[in-house]
Amino acid sequence: MNVHARLADLATLGATGDGIDRALFTPPEYAARRRFADWAEAAGLSVEQDRVGNVFARLIGGADAPPIQCGSHLDTVKGGGAYDGAFGVIGGLEALERIAAGGDALRRPLEVVAWAGEEASRFPLGCLGSSAFARLTPYPQIGALIADDDGESFADALDGPSGLLDGVRLRDDFPAPAAYIELHIEQGPLLERAAARLGVVTAIAGQRRLRVEIVGRAGHAGTIPMDGRADALCAASEIVLAVERAAHDVGESVATVGWLDVAPNQTNIVPGRVVLRVDARSVDDERVAEIERCVRAAGAQIAAVRGTPIGVQLIELRAAAPMDARMRAIVRRACERFVPEPLELPSGAGHDAMCLAQIVPTAMLFVPSIGGHSHVAAEKTAPQDLELGVEARAAALAAADHELPLER
Ligand code: GLV
Ligand code: MN
Ligand code: MN
């Protein structure tokens, strides 16, 4: 099976008719990890998992030295596409298969990793597996602390039937790799606009996620006069607009409210409580910090005017991740073997590479997303671009193996 066929096969897991729902530790996500592990074993790779559900497939080669890793994630957002994450994992598997088939001696092992839970589609934190691996998130403590919208904790979901893979060796002591290279679809329009087929990432935008809780007063929608209300959703609406304004005012940044929980959420009741989440990003961390300050100031002002206490809590902070200069050059030279002018571009989307970049030299390469669509069912990359991405990734891995010292 080629990369396109494998991605089409994975896309059936969690398909809803309007995109893919493959949230971490659910049956379709388990099935995707299982299929990846089976394909990797059939390809002769050695497959293991760690205690948070990351799956490692290793091509043994050369010295018993830290591997060069590649990878991405198999979970999706709600109604997501077939390429975000899955391409990096399946493309990595294919790259390793081609390197093995090419027969060139490796100086060290190469590894492709399916990182657990990159999308915050089930638990409110993203990059769960890669941040635990990089020891940026304390595990096991975090396992009991974070819960999904139904109150099930990460630890319980991991222990459940869709958690760790049956029959795959569990290992505690995964060493840091020598370097990390992630292949991903761009998820935006820049490569397509520049008519470029390969992109080399300069830096990944930093992120802050805020949880905002607005406490109003629930009551009868027919009897409470307009001047006697403390409507939590009206206050929340002002927060949503303040978030949009903050990103415009701060500039070179984006900010979104994509999740709201309204209680009691009934037509004939004045909303008594709203919780919403803010996602703010920029490659300049100071701009993201400024957006947080703006949201906090707006919250205090709206609370005072409307009589609705507003609490703002920082729930996730990921620093912007500039890519490693040497690894970037290796990836660029690999891309130049296939296209004359790969585009250098930043990533507005978050990636597991942000966590790996905190501990080892890291680089990323992109292939175009048709129409720039991503996180929606329409997400697509042309089969010939998928193929090119795999070739460039295989060339980058081989070059990194050749160039990087065996000792870090
Ligand atoms: C993940 O795809 C993110 O950028 O939030
Ligand atoms: Mn995504
Ligand atoms: Mn992704």
Side-chain angles (χ1 to χ4, degrees):
M1 264 206 250
N2 64 18
V3 64
H4 189 59
R6 278 181 169 156
L7 288 172
D9 187 69
L10 277 186
T12 62
L13 304 173
T16 65
D18 188 23
I20 301 169
D21 281 359
R22 210 159 60 216
L24 182 65
F25 304 146
T26 59
E29 190 271 343
Y30 181 95
R33 269 182 290 132
R34 168 94 274 155
R35 203 150 299 178
F36 164 62
D38 290 346
W39 282 333
E41 261 167 19
L45 306 184
S46 140
V47 179
E48 296 178 314
Q49 60 188 332
D50 69 8
R51 293 211 171 265
V52 292
N54 297 316
V55 182
F56 301 75
R58 175 178 282 225
L59 176 62
I60 313 283
D64 182 19
I68 295 172
Q69 271 182 352
C70 63
S72 201
H73 57 99
L74 293 171
D75 64 326
T76 69
V77 291
K78 281 186 191 139
Y83 302 83
D84 175 4
F87 175 49
V89 177
I90 299 308
L93 172 58
E94 298 240 346
L96 263 49
E97 285 180 310
R98 283 176 203 189
I99 290 170
D104 289 342
L106 289 173
R107 296 174 62 226
R108 77 196 97 208
L110 302 179
E111 219 164 58
V112 50
V113 189
W115 300 109
E118 191 266 356
E119 306 285 10
S121 48
R122 175 163 183 192
F123 300 100
L125 296 184
C127 295
L128 281 164
S130 51
S131 67
F133 175 83
R135 296 190 164 73
L136 305 173
T137 302
Y139 190 82
Q141 295 89 319
I142 192 77
L145 289 179
I146 58 165
D148 66 13
D149 294 344
D150 297 327
E152 185 172 21
S153 72
F154 177 89
D156 286 346
L158 182 68
D159 283 344
S162 300
L164 292 177
L165 288 176
D166 281 338
V168 170
R169 197 170 99 94
L170 190 63
R171 213 173 103 192
D172 280 320
D173 59 331
F174 281 92
Y180 180 73
I181 302 174
E182 185 159 340
L183 168 65
H184 209 282
I185 56 166
E186 184 207 330
Q187 307 183 269
L190 301 184
L191 287 174
E192 198 176 63
R193 277 188 198 157
R197 293 183 64 203
L198 290 170
V200 181
V201 175
T202 52
I204 306 173
Q207 310 180 358
R208 278 180 197 224
R209 290 190 174 139
L210 309 173
R211 177 186 186 276
V212 181
E213 179 167 4
I214 301 122
V215 182
R217 221 172 23 254
H220 198 296
T223 59
I224 302 179
M226 293 309 286
D227 61 1
R229 296 185 175 204
D231 183 324
L233 186 55
C234 289
S237 307
E238 291 202 46
I239 295 277
V240 172
L241 295 176
V243 168
E244 184 190 42
R245 204 164 42 244
H248 280 297
D249 292 350
V250 167
E252 291 172 43
S253 58
V254 290
T256 310
V257 176
W259 188 95
L260 267 108
D261 182 31
V262 180
N265 208 22
Q266 184 169 324
T267 317
N268 57 355
I269 304 179
V270 176
R273 176 178 168 274
V274 174
V275 179
L276 59 85
R277 295 188 194 136
V278 180
D279 174 309
R281 309 184 189 205
S282 172
V283 286
D284 175 354
D285 287 328
E286 186 41 44
R287 291 179 196 265
V288 188
E290 182 57 21
I291 291 177
E292 180 179 345
R293 285 193 283 276
C294 293
V295 174
R296 286 183 183 278
Q301 201 203 3
I302 296 161
V305 171
R306 288 188 168 270
T308 50
I310 295 178
V312 180
Q313 200 189 349
L314 178 64
I315 55 172
E316 185 167 2
L317 191 161
R318 295 210 184 281
M323 297 290 93
D324 177 78
R326 181 176 191 180
M327 292 304 296
R328 238 172 95 177
I330 289 174
V331 167
R332 186 178 172 94
R333 281 197 299 276
C335 291
E336 282 168 348
R337 289 176 50 187
F338 304 94
V339 297
E341 199 56 38
L343 186 73
E344 306 254 339
L345 75 173
S347 173
H351 300 288
D352 294 300
M354 297 176 86
C355 298
L356 275 293
Q358 303 289 324
I359 57 165
V360 296
T362 292
M364 281 195 82
L365 67 157
F366 279 170
V367 293
S369 292
I370 295 173
H373 301 303
S374 189
H375 280 186
V376 291
E379 180 180 278
K380 190 163 171 53
T381 294
Q384 63 273 22
D385 288 342
L386 297 174
E387 188 58 33
L388 186 65
V390 172
E391 285 294 320
R393 151 94 72 98
L397 286 170
D401 180 43
H402 187 71
E403 285 185 36
L404 297 180
L406 282 176
E407 297 304 325
R408 277 204 300 120

